[in-house]
Structures are given as structure tokens and as C-alpha cells.
Amino acid sequence: MRRKTTHSEKYIHCSNLTVFLRNFAHKNIFMTEIASYFPITDPTLIFFVVLLIILFAPIIMGKLRIPHIIGMVLAGVAMGKYGFNILARDDSFELFGKVGLYYIMFLASLEMDMEGVKRNSGRFLAFGLLTNAVPLLLTFVASICLLRYSVLASLLLGCIMASNTLIAYPIVGRYGLQRKPSVTLSVGSSMISLLMALVTLAAIVASQDSNTGWTFWAWFVVKFALYCGAMAVLVPRLTRWFLRRYSDAVMQFIFVMSMLFMSAALSEAVGLEGIFGAFLSGLILNRYIPHVSPLMNRIEFIGNALFIPYFLIGVGMLINVRLLFEGGNILMVVFVVAFFGTAGKAIAAYLSARLFRLPFSSGNMMFGLTSAHAAGAIAMIMVGMRIEVVPGQVLVNDDMLNGVVIMILVTCIISTITTERAAQQITLRDQEMPHDETSAEEEKMLIPMKYPEYAIRLVNLAMMMRNPKSKSALVGLNVVYDDADMRRNQESGQQLLERVAQYAASTDIQMQTQVRVAANIANGIRHAFKEFGATEIIIGMHMHREVSAKFWGDFHQSLFNGLNNQIIMARLTQPLATIRRIQVVVPSRAQFEPGFYRWLERVARLAANLECKTLFHGREDVLPLIETFFKTRHESVRTDFNVMTHWAEMPQIAQTIADDHLFFVVTARKGTVSYKNALELLPEEIMSNFSGKNIMIIFPDQHGDAMDEMTFAQPQHTEDSSAYEAIGKLLKLSPEQYYTFFIKPIESYNDSILICHS
């Protein structure tokens, strides 16, 4: 039997209900008060929240094993007005978003292997045509047959899917694969497909304008040609002038950014999108910003830390995921556009990889990089919204607009996942390949320095010559005399080394430093060489005549005669980034020296980083070995070879050395197999024929340890000049006459002995 509720129990129930309703009302009021603060419109708070997203999105996505780029886009979806409406998409997203998009295109072209581009121009054009035509045709036909769109609307969707945005390119940079053939092909073809899509879009716009005729296209072609020609001619000259005159890091960065945005603005003035100008500026500045340089490091850091994430978050804020659940024709639009457009990109990528005989992993990379669509698609769809088919009816309806925006999210996810997987496959694939011995050897460069105005150039040179895979640090050394000024010189030396260590750290390269006190500079350098376990020395060439009138200075000759390891002496009159060509003079029998391939590797790395052509002068017995070395280990470096019969041809070679060339002289120590008496004339040759030029003198590795060879037969001290040279000066013989009377007979005798022994 059911018990009757008493009056007191009824009172308790009513009290509980009242409390519940009161609490519920308070919560609603509280939630309403919180909601009133959103979306955030204050610029300071918006920037703060964006920085939090940039900070925590990679951490969260890393735990979920999802690519970080997707995290940025999804964070934008959640924070935008179609998500939780936390952030208002103010002008900062427009500004930083456009800068981020320009940055992606600029970095992509800046890190391209330009020599690979020149060698494979046919491949670029073929892949560019395929990755543009196949998705355009598939999307065009599917839009007409399945969506029943008009020809113009279908062509617009085809243009959108024919182009692509390199949204997954930061993944490539994280794995260090920027110069892989598949990546270079993808970047170059993206620009070709974008250009073709923009031209097609211009044709669509022109078709709706009754005043447009052949004069429009003629004027467009003229403007485009003038724009490209002016950029290709003026920007390199302006860049060389600026980099030679100003070495300040901030000024160089601002200059590069100015060139980027000037190019983008001029591109828009011509009638193309600014991203084309950003890409073109990167191509032009490519050879002036070495991949291993503090300037490149700053450009990448600013872009990856701020501008590119801002752009990705802004793209996410445009995406309305709710539309997928509202049904209607939008699902069909998303499916047709995303499926057929992505399928077209896949067909083009894998077909090109098969035609070019590239591995399957390279096809994955090509598909991953070229399958994403972002701001370029939005810009094109916005252009379509301004086209009136008939009065009051625009070309793009709401379903098409929302379908394209949702398609951006889908393709970004596909592109990011595919590129991440392809990058891992390529990395593992390359690790299984055998490493060449020269690259795998451990190396440690010692850089003695004294003059602040020259120290940075020496460090730059070492960074471009070092093995990028080596984990060993550079060693900066300052040796001071043990005299009355020792303390003051120690302090100035310490300040110099701290400055260059900070400079090296800006490129993520560690530098050990030491200020050393010694009674003899050469001995101080040699002992530091031993203590640090260094493998070679890079040192500045003596240039201060007021310090010493001798060509080799007070200690250089004692240094290279007392140390059998490789020593590179450099005299650089301008920044390395402005060097256009390298010329190398190789003595006969240089291939028999133990350090032959070590100095070749250093020249090859420098040429690859500077992306300039290298011309070797030498005898017919050594040039084929050099050619084989470059073909097997550094195929991307452009090389040329000139037969030099006698060392007496140096004056003729000097006439071909321009101010922006770098001249290498491979010499030898006395008593070695490649040493020749003509090398005694090297100081006079350099002073008379190469004054004011960029010069590097290489003393290759020798067997043994010269520091332990203090015997009567092999003394550490070697006289600056021979008795023959003294006689020549007494008779006032010219260098050519000295060579004819003294050097050539001795060389002929040595060569005849070598032939008899062989």
C-alpha cells in the first residue's frame, strides 16, 4: 500500500526544488555572463590566444600522433565563429594570414635546388602540366555531369582543383628533405599549375566582360614579361650591392622581406595573385641566401614560429563543419570536388613518378605536397562571387562556396598525413643507402681568428664547408702573445670569440672557444689543434702590411710546415653569398696526396651551398678523377674543366678571374709528391696577378704528424725563399724568366725520374 506524503515531506521537496531552480538560474546567468565576453575582439587578447594555440597545438597533436599542421587548422575551426566562437577573425588574421601564405611560397622557392631545376626543366614542365590538366578535366566533367553546374562554374571549380597550396611544406623542412628531387619537382610544378590556373581564371573573368578582346591578352602578356624581366635584372644587382655594403643582420632580414613584398605587390598589379610574386622573389634570391647561413635561419624561424601558424589558424576559422550535418546538396559538392580533384592530383603524381623512374615513396611525396588547397582556392572562389552571370545572379552559389571551404579542410588533412608518411619513408629509404666515406668521417674545424672585421667571414666559410650531418662543434681560437699587453688582448679576444659563437649559434651550430697565451703564435695554434682533436684549420690570409712585409706573415709558413693536416687560408674581399663562380687550380700529381678527396669535398660543399659553377684547371691525369668524384658524389654541382699544361699559365688564368669570383689554389708542402719548384713563385703570382681578388690557398693533408718529425732530414722551419730565388732577384729576372731558367729544368728532371720509376 502506497504511503501518504506528509506535510513536512512536501515542504522539504518544495525547498529542494526551489534550491535547484535557483542554482540553475544562477548557472544560466553565469554562463550568459561568460558568453558575453566572446568572441574576443581585443587585439592583445587575440594575439595572446593565438600564441597559446601555436604553443600547445603541437604538444597535443604530438601526443595524438597527428601532424601539427592539422592541429593548427582544427584549432582555427574550434576557435572561429563556426566553432565555439572564441576569437573574432579580425584584420590581424587577414594581414598575418597573407604574410604566412607568402612565406610558404617564398621559403619553398628559396630552398629549391636551382641546379636540379635547370637540369630537370623538362620534368618540371611535364609534371606541372599533368598536375594542372588532370584534376582540371576530372573536376570539370564531374561538375557538369554530377552537379549539373554551368560550363563557367565547372571551369572555375576545375581551376581551383588544378592549383594547390604547399600547406604541408613545413613538414618537409622538419625532415630536412627540401632538396630531394620529389620535393623540388612538387614545388616547381605547383608554381606552373598555379600560373596556368590564374590565367584560366583571368579568361573566365574576361569572358564576362564585353570590352575584353585580344588587346586585353596582349597587354597582359606584355605586363607579365616586363614584370619578370625587371625582377630578374634589377633585384640581383640590388641584392649584391646591399649584401656587400651592409652586414647588419637586422638590415639584411628587412631587405629580404622588402624584396618579397615588393615582388608580391607588383605581381598583383600585373593581374596575378601575390603568391606568384612571392615565389618568384624566392627564386631570384635563392643563390644569395645560402641554405647554411644565419640569414636563412632567421627567415625560417620567423616564418615557422609566427606567420605560417597564423595563416593555418586563419584558414581553419573560415571552415564551417556544421554544414556537413545540415544535408542538402553541399555533401555532394564536397564529395565531387574533393574526390575528383584529389584523384586527379594523385594520378598526375604517381604517373609522373613512374615516367621519371622515381621510387614509390617519391610519388607519395609528390601527391602529398600537391594535393592541398587553401587560401588560393578561397581567393579564386571570391573572384567567382563577383562575376554576374545574369543581373542579380552570381556565378558562385552558397552550396559551391561552402563546399569549397569544407574541401579545404579535407584536402589539408589528406595532404598533411600523406606528406608526413612520405617524409618518413624517404628518410628511412636514404638511411639504408651506403654512405660515402668522405661524408661519414668525423671532422672538426679549428678557426684561428684575430681581426673582428674578418672573423665572421671565416666562420661563414667553415659553416658552408662542414658536413651538415656532423655533430662536432666548430672551434674558435684566439692566440695572444705573452707580453705586457697580454691581459688587454685576452679581454678583446674573449669578446671576439663570444660574438662569433653567438653568430654560429644563430644557425644552430655549436662553437667551442679558447683564448690561448703563447710565446709563438704558430705553436699556440698547433697545440690547440691537438688539444681539441681538430682535423683541419681555416685561417685568414695575411693582409696587414704594417704588421709584416712578408707574404706569409710572421707565423703562417711555420704553421703549414709544422702541421701535416689540411690548412685552408682565405682572403675574402666580399661576402660569400655574392660569389658567382669558383675557379680551382690543381697541381700535377695532386691525386697522389692523402688529402686529395678531403679538399675536393670541401670545395664541392662550398659550391653546392653557393650554387655557383666551378671551373677546374689542371693536367689531363687529374681532371678525370675530379670529374668522376663530382658525378658520383655531388651531381648537382655544375663543373667545367680546363687543361693547364704548365704552372706558368697562371697569368692567363688571372685574366679570367672577376671580382665576384673565388679563386682556389691547391698547393703543397715542400718534400711532398705534388710539390713543384714553381710553387715558390706563388706569393709573387698572387701579389702581381690576383691583387684584390677572393683567394683561398689549400695545403692538403699529408701522412704522419709533422709535430713529431723534428729530424735533421725534415726540419719544422723552412726558409721563406730559396737560393735560386735570391739569384733571380739579384739578376733582376722577371717571374717568367725565373721560371724558364730555374724552375722548368728542375721540373722536367723530376718528371723524367717519375716516369722512369713508373
Side-chain angles (χ1 to χ4, degrees):
M1 183 181 259
R2 189 173 177 183
R3 189 173 66 86
K4 228 176 176 184
T5 305
T6 63
H7 179 72
S8 59
E9 287 175 335
K10 287 180 180 179
Y11 179 77
I12 292 172
H13 288 161
C14 290
S15 299
N16 290 339
L17 181 61
T18 304
V19 172
F20 172 77
L21 291 173
R22 186 182 298 117
N23 291 337
F24 183 76
H26 279 305
K27 287 180 180 178
N28 276 345
I29 294 171
F30 179 69
M31 294 298 292
T32 304
E33 289 178 353
I34 292 178
S36 65
Y37 292 102
F38 298 106
I40 298 173
T41 57
D42 181 66
T44 305
L45 290 177
I46 289 176
F47 197 74
F48 169 68
V49 174
V50 169
L51 290 180
L52 289 181
I53 295 172
I54 296 173
L55 175 64
F56 288 108
I59 298 174
I60 298 172
M61 292 298 108
K63 292 184 179 296
L64 298 175
R65 300 297 186 268
I66 297 174
H68 301 168
I69 293 176
I70 295 179
M72 297 294 177
V73 177
L74 293 179
V77 174
M79 294 293 172
K81 66 177 181 179
Y82 301 117
F84 297 108
N85 198 26
I86 295 177
L87 291 178
R89 198 175 190 280
D90 64 354
D91 293 339
S92 68
F93 287 96
E94 293 291 334
L95 174 62
F96 285 99
K98 181 166 279 193
V99 174
L101 180 59
Y102 290 169
Y103 236 96
I104 290 176
M105 303 305 296
F106 181 67
L107 283 176
S109 58
L110 201 62
E111 294 173 339
M112 285 180 69
D113 179 9
M114 296 306 297
E115 296 308 316
V117 172
K118 293 175 183 176
R119 287 197 316 272
N120 301 299
S121 55
R123 288 185 172 188
F124 278 91
L125 185 59
F127 184 36
L129 292 173
L130 280 174
T131 197
N132 176 271
V134 177
L136 189 150
L137 290 174
L138 287 179
T139 308
F140 176 74
V141 173
S143 300
I144 290 178
C145 298
L146 300 178
L147 299 178
R148 307 297 179 187
Y149 282 164
S150 66
V151 173
L152 280 182
S154 300
L155 190 58
L156 176 63
L157 286 177
C159 288
I160 291 172
M161 300 311 294
S163 65
N164 63 274
T165 303
L166 295 169
I167 200 166
Y169 187 79
I171 295 174
V172 174
R174 196 169 73 245
Y175 282 89
L177 305 176
Q178 297 95 324
R179 293 181 175 245
K180 292 294 180 182
S182 56
V183 175
T184 308
L185 279 172
S186 302
V187 173
S189 64
S190 296
M191 212 59 249
I192 294 173
S193 61
L194 174 64
L195 177 61
M196 295 176 66
L198 292 176
V199 171
T200 308
L201 181 64
I204 294 173
V205 175
S207 66
Q208 298 302 112
D209 188 355
S210 58
N211 297 324
T212 301
W214 67 269
T215 54
F216 168 81
W217 291 107
W219 178 232
F220 175 79
V221 171
V222 170
K223 288 192 297 182
F224 180 74
L226 287 175
Y227 163 67
C228 293
M231 290 291 295
V233 172
L234 297 178
V235 172
R237 286 172 169 75
L238 184 60
T239 303
R240 283 197 295 268
W241 173 83
F242 190 90
L243 293 180
R244 287 173 184 170
R245 185 174 291 266
Y246 302 103
S247 59
D248 182 76
V250 176
M251 292 179 67
Q252 288 186 349
F253 178 80
I254 298 300
F255 173 80
V256 171
M257 291 297 100
S258 301
M259 294 297 101
L260 163 62
F261 288 101
M262 179 191 73
S263 180
L266 291 176
S267 177
E268 291 181 343
V270 167
L272 296 171
E273 287 294 319
I275 49 179
F276 178 83
F279 186 85
L280 181 63
S281 65
L283 288 180
I284 295 172
L285 294 173
N286 185 289
R287 69 172 310 276
Y288 302 104
I289 306 176
H291 185 65
V292 183
S293 66
L295 179 57
M296 187 66 168
N297 187 271
R298 294 182 189 102
I299 293 171
E300 289 181 334
F301 176 79
I302 296 295
N304 293 326
L306 185 61
F307 293 133
I308 294 176
Y310 224 113
F311 161 69
L312 297 173
I313 294 169
V315 168
M317 294 177 73
L318 293 172
I319 298 172
N320 187 358
V321 184
R322 299 174 188 173
L323 295 173
L324 291 174
F325 305 100
E326 294 180 0
N329 196 39
I330 185 173
L331 288 174
M332 190 63 179
V333 174
V334 173
F335 170 76
V336 170
V337 175
F339 177 79
F340 286 97
T342 305
K345 291 291 185 182
I347 293 171
Y350 292 111
L351 179 60
S352 299
R354 185 66 181 268
L355 291 174
F356 304 151
R357 297 181 180 179
L358 296 175
F360 185 75
S361 55
S362 296
N364 289 338
M365 176 63 76
M366 293 160 70
F367 168 58
L369 285 175
T370 58
S371 58
H373 305 271
I378 295 173
M380 291 184 189
I381 204 73
M382 293 301 178
V383 171
M385 293 181 67
R386 296 195 295 267
I387 299 175
E388 287 192 355
V389 183
V390 295
Q393 181 182 348
V394 294
L395 181 63
V396 176
N397 58 30
D398 291 340
D399 285 343
M400 188 189 298
L401 172 63
N402 294 324
V404 168
V405 174
I406 298 296
M407 176 273 299
I408 289 174
L409 176 62
V410 175
T411 57
C412 285
I413 293 174
I414 293 173
S415 172
T416 306
I417 294 175
T418 307
T419 305
E420 182 90 27
R421 186 174 301 170
Q424 294 173 359
Q425 291 172 344
I426 292 174
T427 303
L428 293 174
R429 182 194 74 195
D430 290 351
Q431 284 181 350
E432 293 172 0
M433 294 182 179
H435 300 285
D436 64 61
E437 297 174 2
T438 312
S439 304
E441 66 180 355
E442 190 61 31
E443 56 187 43
K444 199 170 194 178
M445 297 180 176
L446 177 71
I447 314 171
M449 56 191 82
K450 178 181 179 181
Y451 301 103
E453 69 275 10
Y454 208 72
I456 295 297
R457 290 187 181 178
L458 289 177
V459 175
N460 252 332
L461 180 63
M463 290 191 296
M464 291 188 187
M465 285 187 165
R466 73 189 290 271
N467 186 351
K469 297 180 180 179
S470 175
K471 297 181 180 179
S472 58
L474 299 176
V475 180
L477 177 69
N478 180 262
V479 183
V480 299
Y481 281 112
D482 186 7
D483 55 14
D485 297 327
M486 181 188 69
R487 295 297 180 191
R488 179 171 58 84
N489 292 334
Q490 276 182 306
E491 291 180 5
S492 59
Q494 190 62 45
Q495 292 173 359
L496 171 63
L497 293 178
E498 288 176 359
R499 191 156 58 246
V500 296
Q502 291 175 357
Y503 181 82
S506 66
T507 59
D508 297 327
I509 296 176
Q510 292 183 344
M511 174 174 276
Q512 297 173 274
T513 59
Q514 183 186 72
V515 177
R516 194 179 191 93
V517 179
N520 181 284
I521 299 295
N523 284 339
I525 295 174
R526 287 201 295 263
H527 292 145
F529 186 89
K530 282 286 189 181
E531 288 178 14
F532 284 103
T535 58
E536 57 202 286
I537 292 176
I538 296 180
I539 189 171
M541 193 182 298
H542 169 64
M543 290 189 296
H544 294 77
R545 309 304 298 175
E546 70 278 3
V547 176
S548 175
K550 301 176 183 178
F551 175 81
W552 295 117
D554 289 333
F555 68 89
H556 284 73
Q557 191 166 19
S558 177
L559 178 64
F560 60 71
N561 282 320
L563 198 66
N564 275 345
N565 296 81
Q566 178 169 281
I567 299 176
I568 300 176
M569 300 175 59
R571 184 182 74 190
L572 303 173
T573 61
Q574 63 187 62
L576 283 170
T578 61
I579 298 296
R580 285 194 308 112
R581 196 176 193 187
I582 294 175
Q583 297 200 45
V584 186
V585 171
V586 186
S588 59
R589 303 191 292 273
Q591 68 270 29
F592 299 114
E593 299 289 359
F596 177 67
Y597 287 105
R598 181 187 286 272
W599 69 256
L600 261 184
E601 180 70 23
R602 302 303 177 265
V603 173
R605 290 177 190 168
L606 183 62
N609 279 311
L610 295 178
E611 295 187 358
C612 55
K613 192 172 185 178
T614 305
L615 173 61
F616 287 91
H617 305 271
R619 285 195 178 182
E620 293 179 347
D621 59 338
V622 69
L623 293 181
L625 295 174
I626 298 175
E627 185 176 6
T628 302
F629 173 83
F630 276 88
K631 283 183 177 179
T632 55
R633 296 184 180 179
H634 296 278
E635 191 179 2
S636 63
V637 178
R638 292 177 298 159
T639 53
D640 206 351
F641 303 92
N642 174 52
V643 177
M644 184 183 72
T645 309
H646 295 290
W647 199 261
E649 296 175 20
M650 286 281 278
Q652 288 78 19
I653 295 175
Q655 296 176 4
T656 67
I657 307 294
D659 290 338
D660 54 1
H661 288 190
L662 177 57
F663 184 56
F664 274 87
V665 180
V666 182
T667 184
R669 298 168 176 87
K670 288 187 177 181
T672 59
V673 67
S674 64
Y675 180 79
K676 54 181 64 201
N677 293 301
L679 292 175
E680 292 183 4
L681 294 175
L682 184 61
E684 286 75 13
E685 292 280 3
I686 292 176
M687 287 189 293
S688 60
N689 298 316
F690 300 94
S691 178
K693 307 296 183 183
N694 301 287
I695 296 178
M696 295 179 65
I697 301 176
I698 300 178
F699 292 87
D701 278 328
Q702 302 295 329
H703 287 303
D705 187 350
M707 294 181 72
D708 299 328
E709 294 178 357
M710 291 182 291
T711 64
F712 177 75
Q714 182 64 35
Q716 283 195 5
H717 177 72
T718 305
E719 294 298 328
D720 292 345
S721 60
S722 66
Y724 300 110
E725 191 174 349
I727 295 172
K729 289 180 178 179
L730 184 64
L731 297 176
K732 297 182 179 180
L733 298 178
S734 66
E736 290 78 9
Q737 292 172 328
Y738 175 76
Y739 177 82
T740 303
F741 289 113
F742 290 100
I743 304 301
K744 194 173 181 179
I746 297 173
E747 282 187 358
S748 301
Y749 174 73
N750 291 336
D751 287 342
S752 63
I753 291 178
L754 185 66
I755 292 172
C756 291
H757 279 288
S758 61

